[in-house]
Amino acid sequence: MRFLRIAACVLFVVGVGCGDNKKGGDVPVDGSPPGDDAPPIDGAVDASIDAPDIDAPPGVADGIAEARAAGDGTGLNLAIVGVTVTYIKPALGNLTNDPAGFTIQHDQQGPALFVSVDPATLSPALQVGDVVSFTITTMGTVGGQRRAQAIANLTRDAQGANVGALSQNLSTATDVVSAIDTYDSELVTITGTITQDFAASGSGFQRAAVDTAGITGDTNFQLRAPISLVDAIDMVNTCQFTATNVPMGRFNAQAQIGVFSTSDITLTSCPAPVVANAIALSSTSVRITFSRNVLASSVAADGSQFTFDNGLTATAATVNGRTVTVTTSAQAVGTNFTVTVANTVTDLQGSPVATPNTATFGGFVTPAVVRINELNANIGGGCDLIELRVVSGGSMTGYKLTERTGAVASGELSFTFPSFTVATNDIVVVHMGATSATCNPGGATAETASIIGEPSATHAGNFDTAFDFWSPDAGLTATDNVFTLFDAANAIMDAVFVSNDPAGALTAAATETAAATVGQANQWDPALAAYIDTVFRTNAVDDLDATGTAATGSSIQRLDNTDDNNVGDWTTGAGVASTFGLINIGQTPF
C-alpha cells in the first residue's frame, strides 16, 4: 500500500526524513531508486546553482494534491508552486485523449499531475527540468486521469533540475495497478517483459500487457507507445524492456507505462529475426523481408551475405526497415530461385538471423494493376464479399487485401494471394467464411488457373465469371472500416473508406489507424495525416450496414472506370443491385 504523508514531520536532512515510510513497498521516500546510481535528490539539486530544493519534506505546499482533489470545472484558482517539469508529451493521435502536455512533480513519492497544455505554446516554452509555478484555471478527468486543462500566471523559477532523482523504480512494486490513481503521472523506471502481441490503444497508439518482478499475469499492467515507435524498434511479444524516466499513465483501470521516443526505452532478449519471404521487384532485384528490422550496418553493401541457386548472383544490398533489396544478375522468367541469408545479418539488438533463413521466389513477372470494385459487408452468416477488378494484367502473387489494420487476432481480414496471374478486365472475388457450411457448402478453395476451376455447379458460392478465393475470415466489420489492397512490395495499390453512419460521433481506433496509413500514402482524398471520428465518417462511403443481406442483394460499387480516390467514385446509401463477378453498371471494358 502507498504510504501516508506525515504533515507534522519537520526535521529533514539527506537520509533522514519521515522515518521508513515507503510506497509500493520497495522505494525509499528520500533517496534514489534502488539500483539507481544517481546521487540523492538534494545532492543532484545542490550541483545546480539555480535549482531550488526539490527534495523538500513531503507535504510541502506545492499544490498538486490540492489540484488533484479539486472538482472538474473552469474558473478555478489553484496555485502550483515550485514544481519540476518531469516529462514533455507530444501531441499524437486523438487530441482529446492524447493531447500535448507535460507532467509535474515535487517529491519523488508524488503526487504528480498531467497538464494537458502544449508547453510549446506557453511563455516561456517549457523544457524537462524546468522548475515552475502557475495557477490552474481548469481541471478535468479523461479516462480516469486527473488533468490540469488550462493554466495562467506561469513563471519559470529555475532550470536544469535532475528529474532522474524524482523517478521511482517500480520493477518490484506489487501495487502499480491496484494503486494506479496514486501513481498516475509520476516519473518511473520499470524493467519487465512484454507478454502480449501489441494491439490498438486509441488512434495512433498500441499497447501490450507486461510482467515485472512485482506483477505477473495482470492484463491491466501495460506498455503503451505510438505505433511508429513500436514498429521502429520492433517492440514485440517476449521482448524484455527497461523504460527509463517516463510518466506512469492510466486509462480507467489500466496502468500504462507511457513511452514516446527511442530514448525512453531499451529492448533486450527479443525473438531472433528470420526470413519471412522474398519477391522479385524487377528482373535484376529481389526484396527479402525479415520478421524484424535489420541493422543496416550488419549488411554488406556488395550483397555477399545473400546467395542464390540456379546461377543467380548478388552484386549489391540496401536496407530499409524489415526489408533488404538485393541487386542480382538477370532472373530467368518462370524460374524459381532460393535465397539464403548469412547469420552475420542481424536485427537492431544484434541478434543474428535464425532459421528459417531462406525463401523461394519466382523470376520477375510484370505486376498487375488492380482496384477494389464492389463490396458487401452485411451478408447474413458473415458470408461477405469483396470484388477486385484488373485494370492491367500481370502477376498478383503476394498481393494482400485487408480490412482495417489486418489484425487477424482481432477478427480483421488479412488475405494474401498465392502465385497467381491475371489479365486486363479479369474479376477477382474474395469470399469470407471459407470454413462455414453456410457460406461455402461445397468447400471451395482458390481458383488460380481458371475462372471455372471450381464451378458454381459444385461450389455454390462461386461465380463462374470470376476468379474465386476464400478467406477464413468470419465476416467483415459493418460499422466503420477501411479496405486496402497492397501489392507484392507492400505498397498501397487501392483503398476505400466506408461507414455505416457519416454523422456518427465515434470511429474505431483500428479504422483511424488504417485510414491514416492510406491518407499518408495519398490513396484517399482528402489526403490527411489523421482521420479522427467525424472527420473519417464524413469522408467515407455510406452505408456499410444498409446493403443487402444476401449476395444477390444490393452492394456498394464503383460508378465507372475512373479512380479519384474519394467518395465520388462510389455508390452511397444502400447501394444498387449487386453485380459480383461482372463489371458494374456504368463501367466499360478497359
Side-chain angles (χ1 to χ4, degrees):
M1 297 295 293
R2 299 283 290 224
F3 81 108
L4 297 175
R5 296 170 182 246
I6 304 175
C9 178
V10 295
L11 177 63
F12 183 88
V13 294
V14 176
V16 180
C18 301
D20 294 327
N21 292 326
K22 301 180 181 180
K23 66 181 182 181
D26 63 335
V27 183
V29 174
D30 300 318
S32 298
D36 191 341
D37 293 329
I41 296 176
D42 55 349
V45 173
D46 290 342
S48 172
I49 295 175
D50 297 326
D53 182 11
I54 65 169
D55 198 18
V60 71
D62 52 62
I64 296 177
E66 291 77 7
R68 288 173 59 93
D72 292 348
T74 61
L76 304 178
N77 186 29
L78 305 173
I80 300 295
V81 180
V83 298
T84 301
V85 176
T86 57
Y87 196 92
I88 290 180
K89 180 181 176 296
L92 292 170
N94 184 320
L95 299 187
T96 298
N97 294 330
D98 289 293
F102 57 99
T103 49
I104 56 171
Q105 194 168 332
H106 187 277
D107 302 312
Q108 186 192 45
Q109 293 290 304
L113 184 66
F114 177 54
V115 182
S116 58
V117 177
D118 187 346
T121 66
L122 299 173
S123 181
L126 299 182
Q127 298 179 356
V128 170
D130 285 351
V131 179
V132 296
S133 300
F134 53 85
T135 301
I136 298 174
T137 59
T138 301
M139 286 292 297
T141 304
V142 178
Q145 182 182 61
R146 302 288 287 127
R147 297 178 176 180
Q149 297 177 320
I151 64 174
N153 305 320
L154 173 68
T155 62
R156 181 162 58 199
D157 307 322
Q159 295 178 274
N162 177 15
V163 297
L166 290 175
S167 182
Q168 305 167 70
N169 193 316
L170 301 185
S171 302
T172 61
T174 60
D175 64 344
V176 181
V177 177
S178 60
I180 184 55
D181 185 60
T182 54
Y183 282 114
D184 179 42
S185 298
E186 294 180 16
L187 204 65
V188 301
T189 292
I190 297 179
T191 295
T193 301
I194 300 169
T195 60
Q196 280 184 334
D197 292 338
F198 278 87
S201 179
S203 179
F205 286 84
Q206 291 183 327
R207 58 181 170 83
V210 300
D211 282 352
T212 63
I215 299 175
T216 60
D218 191 336
T219 57
N220 278 329
F221 196 20
Q222 301 170 352
L223 180 67
R224 184 174 189 260
I227 294 172
S228 58
L229 179 60
V230 172
D231 182 71
I233 65 173
D234 272 340
M235 285 194 278
V236 297
N237 195 354
T238 74
C239 282
Q240 294 179 10
F241 71 93
T242 297
T244 304
N245 296 344
V246 298
M248 192 69 228
R250 71 172 300 180
F251 182 72
N252 297 322
Q254 298 168 359
Q256 296 181 331
I257 307 163
V259 296
F260 297 88
S261 70
T262 56
S263 62
D264 290 341
I265 188 167
T266 301
L267 297 179
T268 57
S269 302
C270 292
V274 297
V275 174
N277 60 65
I279 188 166
L281 301 179
S282 72
S283 60
T284 57
S285 67
V286 57
R287 188 196 65 197
I288 301 154
T289 301
F290 296 81
S291 61
R292 297 182 59 73
N293 284 310
V294 174
L295 182 65
S297 61
S298 75
V299 176
D302 63 3
S304 56
Q305 296 152 299
F306 302 86
T307 56
F308 303 84
D309 61 0
N310 292 326
L312 198 65
T313 58
T315 58
T318 57
V319 178
N320 182 17
R322 290 184 178 87
T323 68
V324 176
T325 300
V326 179
T327 301
T328 69
S329 54
Q331 303 161 17
V333 176
T335 300
N336 286 334
F337 300 94
T338 297
V339 59
T340 301
V341 182
N343 65 5
T344 51
V345 174
T346 75
D347 67 6
L348 301 181
Q349 282 73 51
S351 299
V353 170
T355 304
N357 65 332
T358 65
T360 299
F361 62 97
F364 179 74
V365 179
T366 301
V369 177
V370 184
R371 292 177 187 161
I372 301 171
N373 200 51
E374 184 174 357
L375 61 95
N376 188 345
N378 200 39
I379 300 175
C383 309
D384 301 328
L385 301 170
I386 301 179
E387 177 187 275
L388 310 178
R389 186 183 182 198
V390 180
V391 177
S392 177
S395 173
M396 281 185 62
T397 304
Y399 283 30
K400 182 171 67 174
L401 181 65
T402 67
E403 66 169 323
R404 294 186 170 179
T405 57
V408 176
S410 299
E412 299 173 10
L413 170 68
S414 180
F415 181 81
T416 300
F417 288 89
S419 180
F420 178 49
T421 301
V422 290
T424 302
N425 292 314
D426 277 347
I427 300 293
V428 179
V429 178
V430 178
H431 303 248
M432 308 306 120
T435 60
S436 165
T438 300
C439 303
N440 189 16
T445 55
E447 294 177 320
T448 59
S450 167
I451 60 175
I452 54 172
E454 295 186 342
S456 60
T458 54
H459 299 83
N462 281 359
F463 298 92
D464 289 343
T465 52
F467 288 97
D468 294 283
F469 289 85
W470 288 83
S471 166
D473 189 89
L476 304 173
T477 300
T479 52
D480 50 69
N481 217 324
V482 175
F483 297 103
T484 309
L485 178 65
F486 297 87
D487 67 16
N490 207 40
I492 296 175
M493 180 163 282
D494 193 32
V496 58
F497 294 2
V498 279
S499 169
N500 64 317
D501 180 11
L506 299 176
T507 297
T511 299
E512 293 176 349
T513 298
T517 300
V518 171
Q520 290 166 19
N522 292 313
Q523 286 291 331
W524 197 250
D525 184 23
L528 306 176
Y531 300 83
I532 306 302
D533 295 335
T534 55
V535 175
F536 172 85
R537 290 178 174 272
T538 56
N539 287 290
V541 177
D542 177 34
D543 185 336
L544 194 56
D545 66 349
T547 52
T549 56
T552 55
S554 61
S555 65
I556 295 174
Q557 304 173 22
R558 282 192 181 273
L559 295 169
D560 51 36
N561 287 0
T562 63
D563 182 19
D564 297 315
N565 292 329
N566 61 27
V567 173
D569 289 331
W570 298 83
T571 60
T572 58
V576 297
S578 66
T579 58
F580 287 108
L582 303 168
I583 63 174
N584 303 334
I585 302 300
Q587 293 181 334
T588 57
F590 290 109

